[in-house]
Amino acid sequence: MDSSLKRLFLLGLAFCSVLFVFWGCRETATMVGGQVEKAFQHPQVLADFHQVSGSCKDCHISKSGPIEDNLTHENNQCVECHASLAKLADVGVRGGVSPHRSHLIGAVACTSCHLGHEKSVSYCDACHSFEHQIPFAGKWERTFVPIDTDMMAQEQALAAGPRETTDVVIVGAGGAGLSAAVSAREAGANVILLEKEPIPGGNAKLAAGGMNAAETKSQAALGITDEKQIMIDDTMKGGRNLNDLALVKILAGNSSDSVDWLTSMGADLTDVGRMGGASVNRSHRPTGGAGVGAHVTQVLWDSAVKRNVDIRLNSRVVRLLKDSADNVTGVLVHGKVSGYYVIKADAVVMATGGFAKNNDRVAKYDPKLKGFKATNHPGAVGDGLDVALQAGVATRDLEYIQAHPTYSPVGGVMITEAVRGNGAILINRDGQRFVNEITTRDKAAAAILAQKGGSAYLIFDHSVRKSLKKIEGYINLHFVREGQSAAELAVAIGVPAAELEKTLASYNRFKKAGKDEQFGRPNLPRELALAPFYAIEVTPAVHHTMGGITIDSRTRAKTVNGKTIEGLYAAGEATGGVHGANRLGGNAISDIVTFGRIAGFEAAQYARQH
Ligand code: FAD
Ligand code: SIN
């Protein structure tokens, strides 16, 4: 076939496969001829299908070199035929949901879901419940792979010695890792950032309600008076005073600086709202109340790319390497394509996040949470913690695991605390309020679990919806119930209409009087009176693991004897101490940016001296 004919054939095939992808339409296949039809009838994996159009070379051989773990060349081939993710976002939309429109950040690659030689999976299925089926797809499932798997291959890689050398290796491309990477580059270090998942951003990309910071320019512009000391007091109180006070002082003391740092890179953190346990509005998010995490991690990602951080996805760190003096000297990595290899580094930052998605591990520390769903991304399983433990770090507070009070069991989505912060109330099946909705989440979660059925309804009106962009995402996922009046909504969710009307009337009276006489809720932002009215069924789900690696105020990892492990730093949800027994909503993004920055800077300094 001459090249233009082949190209035409490929384009036709690509068009057909896009149709097939979106509508699962076998009949469409017959449009392009018998050969393709045969492949459609017996597909195993995408590679089978693509072989009809060409050979392995069409996808795999890159002029720029062999296959690497980011699968850059392969993904570019997908895009060349099928168009980019952004272009595909508006195709195949069903009821407002498109499989290619997402809140994921960075270079979301086609091969994250379309695995080629294995059954494809829908990454979104790891959290959400969608009707979408992608062709040749298996349901998302993940088994925990211990870090000591393939010991023979690991030993061989260790014996082969370092394949590369750099100043700083950062493990985990979530919010702490990306912050550390940018900060280490700013301090002049060469940085390799290793992420085990195909999609970067970790839990940080999912963050919704905001980033806590005190004494910021955005607060001042909105006339909000706040003090760093109040943020310290709120954080200590929320954490039941089990927090490391020195770390909390750093958190609050640097919080407004961290907002400025992100803003200098292009972040918009001008909307400020209330989260549970806070005395004042200090949760910063983009204009209109859009999710904070996808925005902040995208800004950090772009910044890391601009600063030439060497970012490697599909690259899991399974071991920290040490010299005879017990100083950290690098990492053993498992790359999806490249297998095991060693990177020698002067300093390593562990930014591997928490383990809320690993229910076996969660239940080991807190048996009450056995069988609970989690709000987290699929990679939050704790293998980074295993790596650190194997290297001799001390840990603290692992027994403190937080459930987020409002998770939609139908949609598989956490409903941000900001919905309550902006005015929503919680009612039980009798149509009555039962708690101060913006108390700390340990108390709110316990109160919901104590209701009939172990769940409750978040109730809000159209004015709350208009105040928070994040709510549009929930509406698009079709699990929000709606009524033109409170009574109609009550019928839709099966609670007594007269009770719900009474509850709303007394709440609106409290709002007018400026005092919640029932539960002492400190913020009453608006009346709930503008139709339509909305309800979301919610129940607690495992959300945040407060404990982790013990660090000092320079993010240096410690041993059980309190000794510093030279060359090893840690930041973010992988660490313990900042949040004590219970984290306040909005404090994690502050934590990961501030301590990520410190870790990157400290690691770069250390590398310079060694
Ligand atoms: P993560 O962002 O989880 O990143 C860790 C990364 O390390 C992951 O990408 C993981 O895949 C990778 N990794 C792990 N092990 C390895 C390994 N061995 N090798 C290589 N890579 C590895 N907090 C707030 O303050 N405000 C909010 O509004 C908010 N909303 C949230 C909403 C949701 C749905 C969730 C789940 C959390 C929310 N949080 C919020 C909490 C906050 O997002 C997290 O605590 C925080 O982002 C953790 O950041 P991190 O960088 O420490 O970890
Ligand atoms: C939320 O938006 O409710 C989550 C906030 C957090 O975990 O800090």
Side-chain angles (χ1 to χ4, degrees):
M1 216 187 287
D2 82 13
S3 65
S4 59
L5 257 181
K6 187 177 175 196
R7 188 143 191 90
L8 202 66
F9 176 74
L10 278 173
L11 275 174
L13 200 56
F15 175 69
C16 179
S17 73
V18 168
L19 288 179
F20 183 81
V21 166
F22 295 126
W23 290 288
C25 172
R26 277 161 186 263
E27 286 76 16
T28 314
T30 58
M31 288 167 56
V32 292
Q35 199 182 9
V36 176
E37 185 185 27
K38 190 165 157 242
F40 271 27
Q41 279 168 1
H42 306 285
Q44 295 299 319
V45 293
L46 283 178
D48 290 356
F49 169 63
H50 282 103
Q51 267 188 7
V52 175
S53 62
S55 70
C56 308
K57 280 187 189 169
D58 285 347
C59 290
H60 287 305
I61 299 297
S62 157
K63 286 195 193 89
S64 57
I67 305 172
E68 36 72 69
D69 296 319
N70 284 339
L71 298 173
T72 312
H73 177 75
E74 286 68 20
N75 282 299
N76 286 344
Q77 299 307 300
C78 304
V79 170
E80 204 169 281
C81 282
H82 299 275
S84 68
L85 198 68
K87 290 214 171 105
L88 292 175
D90 294 327
V91 185
V93 181
R94 275 195 197 159
V97 182
S98 160
H100 292 111
R101 190 188 300 143
S102 82
H103 50 80
L104 304 176
I105 66 136
V108 178
C110 309
T111 51
S112 306
C113 292
H114 304 283
L115 302 178
H117 296 280
E118 300 157 53
K119 274 190 181 300
S120 303
V121 290
S122 166
Y123 196 82
C124 310
D125 282 352
C127 296
H128 305 299
S129 334
F130 285 126
E131 278 175 30
H132 288 290
Q133 284 298 322
I134 55 178
F136 325 125
K139 182 82 187 154
W140 176 275
E141 46 191 42
R142 175 71 69 89
T143 46
F144 180 74
V145 182
I147 56 166
D148 56 3
T149 307
D150 292 337
M151 283 313 285
M152 224 161 77
Q154 290 197 19
E155 292 306 331
Q156 274 169 5
L158 289 171
R163 203 178 80 177
E164 288 159 85
T165 301
T166 191
D167 299 331
V168 176
V169 158
I170 295 166
V171 190
L178 286 165
S179 300
V182 172
S183 156
R185 283 296 290 148
E186 282 175 342
N190 291 314
V191 178
I192 297 179
L193 175 57
L194 300 165
E195 167 58 51
K196 67 177 177 170
E197 293 291 311
I199 295 170
N203 275 343
K205 67 178 173 286
L206 306 178
M211 167 178 176
N212 288 351
E215 301 181 28
T216 65
K217 296 185 181 83
S218 299
Q219 283 178 314
L222 294 166
I224 300 164
T225 310
D226 194 7
E227 287 172 25
K228 289 171 181 163
Q229 187 56 47
I230 308 178
M231 182 168 167
I232 294 171
D233 296 343
D234 286 347
T235 302
M236 293 301 293
K237 187 171 166 213
R240 295 184 221 140
N241 284 307
L242 288 170
N243 327 48
D244 177 334
L245 180 59
L247 297 182
V248 175
K249 284 183 175 165
I250 293 170
L251 175 83
N254 289 276
S255 59
S256 92
D257 210 44
S258 285
V259 168
D260 288 346
W261 186 63
L262 291 169
T263 306
S264 74
M265 288 183 251
D268 162 16
L269 293 165
T270 49
D271 185 305
V272 187
R274 183 77 65 104
M275 300 284 267
S279 303
V280 300
N281 287 14
R282 68 164 70 95
S283 215
H284 294 66
R285 50 204 179 212
T287 311
V292 69
H295 176 62
V296 161
T297 47
Q298 184 69 56
V299 165
L300 287 167
W301 171 272
D302 291 343
S303 201
V305 170
K306 197 168 112 195
R307 286 170 171 77
N308 293 322
V309 173
D310 179 347
I311 307 176
R312 302 183 191 174
L313 304 176
N314 300 310
S315 301
R316 183 166 91 130
V317 169
V318 292
R319 207 185 294 198
L320 285 167
L321 309 179
K322 284 172 148 187
D323 63 16
S324 52
D326 245 12
N327 301 335
V328 165
T329 56
V331 292
L332 175 61
V333 195
H334 183 252
K336 181 184 169 96
V337 180
S338 52
Y340 290 98
Y341 66 98
V342 168
I343 305 176
K344 185 171 176 308
D346 292 324
V348 176
V349 178
M350 293 302 285
T352 46
F355 58 88
K357 196 76 171 181
N358 182 341
N359 193 257
D360 289 340
R361 186 168 228 149
V362 165
K364 190 176 112 197
Y365 293 113
D366 186 349
K368 290 192 301 305
L369 294 171
K370 187 160 183 58
F372 271 57
K373 294 269 192 213
T375 63
N376 282 208
H377 86 115
V381 291
D383 49 348
L385 185 61
D386 290 335
V387 171
L389 282 168
Q390 196 194 47
V393 302
T395 57
R396 56 173 291 171
D397 302 336
L398 288 171
E399 66 277 30
Y400 297 115
I401 298 174
Q402 176 175 80
H404 192 285
T406 56
Y407 166 86
S408 157
V410 182
V413 180
M414 183 208 76
I415 310 300
T416 173
E417 214 160 271
V419 179
R420 280 171 285 143
N422 280 17
I425 56 169
L426 282 166
I427 61 155
N428 58 22
R429 286 182 162 67
D430 298 324
Q432 293 163 351
R433 286 177 72 212
F434 53 89
V435 71
N436 156 18
E437 288 83 359
I438 57 159
T439 182
T440 51
R441 43 180 69 150
D442 50 349
K443 293 187 182 128
I448 292 172
L449 284 174
Q451 304 308 305
K452 265 186 244 165
S455 69
Y457 289 100
L458 256 182
I459 304 287
F460 54 96
D461 74 346
H462 203 64
S463 69
V464 175
R465 175 174 172 180
K466 281 194 303 187
S467 75
L468 198 70
K469 275 189 191 154
K470 193 78 193 152
I471 292 177
E472 298 312 312
Y474 309 144
I475 304 270
N476 283 339
L477 290 172
H478 303 295
F479 56 76
V480 184
R481 310 301 298 271
E482 188 175 325
Q484 287 311 311
S485 64
E488 196 180 302
L489 182 66
V491 172
I493 59 175
V495 307
E499 279 303 321
L500 180 57
E501 283 175 331
K502 215 162 85 189
T503 298
L504 286 172
S506 56
Y507 180 81
N508 290 340
R509 259 197 328 275
F510 298 152
K511 158 66 194 158
K512 274 201 191 102
K515 186 167 182 211
D516 174 9
E517 279 171 14
Q518 232 181 336
F519 298 104
R521 172 179 174 148
N523 89 325
L524 298 160
R526 47 177 57 84
E527 277 188 66
L528 299 176
L530 183 67
F533 293 85
Y534 305 93
I536 304 175
E537 188 188 359
V538 289
T539 192
V542 185
H543 183 60
H544 192 87
T545 47
M546 263 71 66
I549 302 166
T550 306
I551 53 167
D552 65 12
S553 49
R554 291 169 58 193
T555 71
R556 295 179 300 184
K558 297 287 171 183
T559 67
V560 277
N561 301 323
K563 194 175 152 276
T564 298
I565 302 179
E566 297 292 334
L568 186 60
Y569 299 82
E573 202 173 333
T575 67
V578 179
H579 308 292
N582 177 57
R583 176 174 69 77
L584 290 190
N587 264 0
I589 297 299
S590 213
D591 166 6
I592 63 179
V593 176
T594 291
F595 288 98
R597 283 174 75 193
I598 295 173
F601 173 79
E602 290 287 340
Q605 293 289 100
Y606 181 88
R608 184 173 304 148
Q609 289 153 14
H610 289 81

